[in-house]
Amino acid sequence: MRSRGMIEGAVAVAGFSALTAILTYPLAFQLGSVAYRPDAADGQFSIWNVAWVARALLRDPLGVFNANIFHPERGTLAYSEANLGSGLLAVPVYWATGNAYAAHSFVVLLSFLFSALATYYLIRYLVADRLAAAVGAIGFAFAPHVFAHLLHIQLLWTAGLPFGLLMYHRLVDRPTVTRGVALGIGVSAQLYLCAYYGVFLVLVVGAFAMWNTCYRRLWRAWPFWRALVVGAVVSVVATLPLIIPVLAFQRSTAFVRPVESSLLFSANWAAYFASSATAHSWLLAYLPRWNEVLFPGFVVLGFGALGLFAGTRSQALRETTLTYLGLCVLAVWASFGPAAGLYAWLYAAFPPLMLMRAPSRFGVVALLTCVVLSGVGMARFSWRTRWPGLAGAVLLVAAVTEHVVPLAFVPPPGPHPAYLRLAALPTGPLLEVPVYSHRAQFLRARYMLASTIHWMPLVNAYSDYEPPAFQRRLDIYGGFPSHDALRELARDRVRYVLIHLDAFDAQGRPALESGLREFAADLQPLYADSDTRLYELVSYADP
């Protein structure tokens, strides 16, 4: 029996690895040589984030939250999603290559593979059907929604949801301390990989525990409650390296997202029919404006409908069907945001949601429920045909074909000589000009990506939260070179200034060059070409 399980696991790993390579081609074959939209700010931020964590874990693990942004602030990795899990997984590739693009791409590929495997084993456990599990794994791991967020490394990590639920179902069926530990590990792993999905998993496990308690009458099932408590304790303890810095950041800044801010990031009904897959592109012409990509696909929808019909009539599958149907309704409802009611209640009752702003991401939970229900449908009706092998092959091909998304990978730009010059200099804080205003703050992400070449502390950067001290000095920095700007930079012991002349318009560039001549005594040239200047701040005395 164990050997058969090992063979099944090996086949699943090989099959889903091949499928990952095919559906993300040519990423797996040109690791570090191609990138998806390397000019997009969210993608630049993700690549920097993964590389920073991987590098810090190799060089200074205790200082991982002191990222090289917003000098002289500390704990700046907590200003956005920390992505500690992605950075940890990237360590081997970053250690071997030093290539931020390769490290990031490796983690992207792992996210698809792990999600497919976790979903496969969840459905396999619930319905005991390999084909249903394989089709469901394809439907969830390679959902159009995931490809639509290829720039957001944390949103690719859907694997913890099916893995955590698999651990929960195993626990409720046979509660033991060991299974409680496994559940705690699953929840904490998802929190490290994506805080959004980790919070969702906590909510889902809590809802399932209440449902199973009522459905199975587990009020006095002490082994069940003991295992749940063990899982909760393990999850909290294992996540402390993430929780402590985030709580410290929240206490020091009182940062919360008002519930009203989530209105712009709430799903609408059209989102559940929108898809980035080629097979679904014709649907978009019939939709009003959508604000998310959440269509589960025709294969999943069709068998999901069959699952609802047959699962409620099957004694063996009724509990699973009702459990995931209820979760689907709640997840869709919450994804519509505060205007629909449920999310507003959750926001008030569950403090972690105060740090988040995108109710539409509950749609991922709805997608998972759909593939589970489709697994119920396949298991109930499969395969009453004279050629079950052929029918299964056709269904697998249909599922894969339906999830092909057109992707354009391009070679990333090579390192600019000015950044290579910086990499050879002693470490010191760096200001890049233009500083960019609040309206153009996303443009600072390119400075962060470029810092993976030299790793100097950056004065100006981009994140979900910007420290008030930086915001107060933003206009002063933007006026560089000036007495005020030089005074502030000297106070913070900023050592280097890199100026991108080509980013200034026809009126701004002559004024900038005039200022550089005026303050030439304070600026030692280190590199220059037609569009770039690199200086070291050597002296400044108030006039």
Side-chain angles (χ1 to χ4, degrees), residues 19 45 51 79 94 121 186 188 195 225 314 320 322 352-353 389 418 440 477 505 514 530:
L19 192 56
F45 182 91
Y79 291 177
Y94 188 80
Y121 281 105
S188 60
W225 293 108
S314 166
T320 296
L322 293 177
L353 289 179
Y477 293 144
D505 57 25
S514 175
S530 59

Side-chain angles (χ1 to χ4, degrees), residues 135-150:
V135 174
I138 295 169
F140 185 66
F142 304 100
H145 170 83
V146 179
F147 285 105
H149 289 282
L150 206 56

Side-chain angles (χ1 to χ4, degrees), residues 354-393:
M354 295 182 181
L355 299 176
M356 302 176 180
R357 65 178 178 186
S360 63
R361 292 175 187 169
F362 273 101
V364 175
V365 179
L367 289 175
L368 181 58
T369 65
C370 286
V371 300
V372 171
L373 291 172
S374 74
V376 172
M378 289 180 218
R380 193 71 181 90
F381 287 91
S382 68
W383 283 100
R384 299 174 184 178
T385 174
R386 299 174 71 180
W387 301 285
L390 177 61

Side-chain angles (χ1 to χ4, degrees), residues 40-244:
D42 285 345
Q44 293 169 342
F45 182 91
S46 289
I47 296 168
W48 164 83
N49 191 318
V50 171
W52 167 262
V53 174
R55 180 180 183 271
L57 292 178
L58 287 168
R59 292 170 171 251
D60 180 20
L62 296 180
V64 65
F65 271 89
N66 295 320
N68 69 321
I69 56 174
F70 295 115
H71 171 84
E73 302 290 331
R74 306 276 292 176
T76 52
L77 191 65
Y79 291 177
S80 293
E81 181 93 38
N83 289 316
L84 294 183
S86 291
L88 176 62
L89 292 171
V91 164
V93 173
Y94 188 80
W95 173 81
T97 67
N99 186 318
Y101 289 97
H104 181 268
S105 296
F106 176 70
V107 177
V108 168
L109 295 170
L110 285 184
S111 71
F112 285 101
L113 173 60
F114 286 7
S115 183
L117 290 170
T119 308
Y120 175 86
Y121 281 105
L122 171 64
I123 299 176
R124 177 86 166 80
Y125 182 83
L126 292 175
V127 304
D129 188 295
R130 292 187 181 89
L131 179 62
V135 174
I138 295 169
F140 185 66
F142 304 100
H145 170 83
V146 179
F147 285 105
H149 289 282
L150 206 56
L151 296 175
H152 310 111
I153 189 63
Q154 69 275 18
L155 298 186
L156 300 183
W157 278 105
T158 59
L161 291 170
F163 179 78
L165 291 183
L166 172 61
M167 295 301 102
Y168 171 78
H169 287 300
R170 284 168 50 84
L171 181 152
V172 77
D173 289 340
R174 188 164 65 86
T176 65
V177 170
T178 300
R179 293 188 174 192
V181 171
L183 174 61
I185 292 173
V187 172
S188 60
Q190 182 64 90
L191 285 165
Y192 276 108
L193 291 163
C194 177
Y196 266 96
Y197 299 161
V199 169
F200 295 168
L201 182 57
V202 170
L203 288 171
V204 172
V205 168
F208 276 15
M210 290 188 290
W211 162 253
N212 288 129
T213 298
C214 297
Y215 191 89
R216 299 189 184 187
R217 293 184 172 89
L218 300 176
W219 305 104
R220 296 185 179 182
W222 304 123
F224 170 70
W225 293 108
R226 181 182 60 190
L228 280 182
V229 170
V230 168
V233 172
V234 168
S235 178
V236 170
V237 172
T239 318
L240 284 177
L242 175 63
I243 293 175
I244 292 174

Side-chain angles (χ1 to χ4, degrees), residues 220-283:
R220 296 185 179 182
W222 304 123
F224 170 70
W225 293 108
R226 181 182 60 190
L228 280 182
V229 170
V230 168
V233 172
V234 168
S235 178
V236 170
V237 172
T239 318
L240 284 177
L242 175 63
I243 293 175
I244 292 174
V246 171
L247 288 179
F249 157 71
Q250 204 280 328
R251 281 198 304 269
S252 64
T253 63
F255 176 74
V256 295
R257 296 187 187 277
V259 68
E260 295 79 14
S261 68
S262 63
L263 291 170
L264 293 175
F265 301 92
S266 301
N268 58 6
W269 70 264
Y272 284 92
F273 294 92
S275 170
S276 54
T278 302
H280 308 147
S281 59
W282 60 273
L283 275 172

Side-chain angles (χ1 to χ4, degrees), residues 274-317:
S275 170
S276 54
T278 302
H280 308 147
S281 59
W282 60 273
L283 275 172
L284 303 181
Y286 298 95
L287 296 178
R289 177 184 170 274
W290 64 91
N291 51 7
E292 185 55 277
V293 175
L294 293 170
F295 185 58
F298 292 108
V299 172
V300 169
L301 274 183
F303 280 98
L306 290 176
L308 287 177
F309 174 78
T312 53
R313 290 164 172 77
S314 166
Q315 184 174 355
L317 296 172

Side-chain angles (χ1 to χ4, degrees), residues 502-526:
D502 55 336
F504 288 83
D505 57 25
Q507 290 75 36
R509 181 161 177 166
L512 175 64
E513 291 181 324
S514 175
L516 292 175
R517 289 191 293 271
E518 177 184 352
F519 292 94
D522 304 300
L523 307 171
Q524 178 181 333
L526 298 175

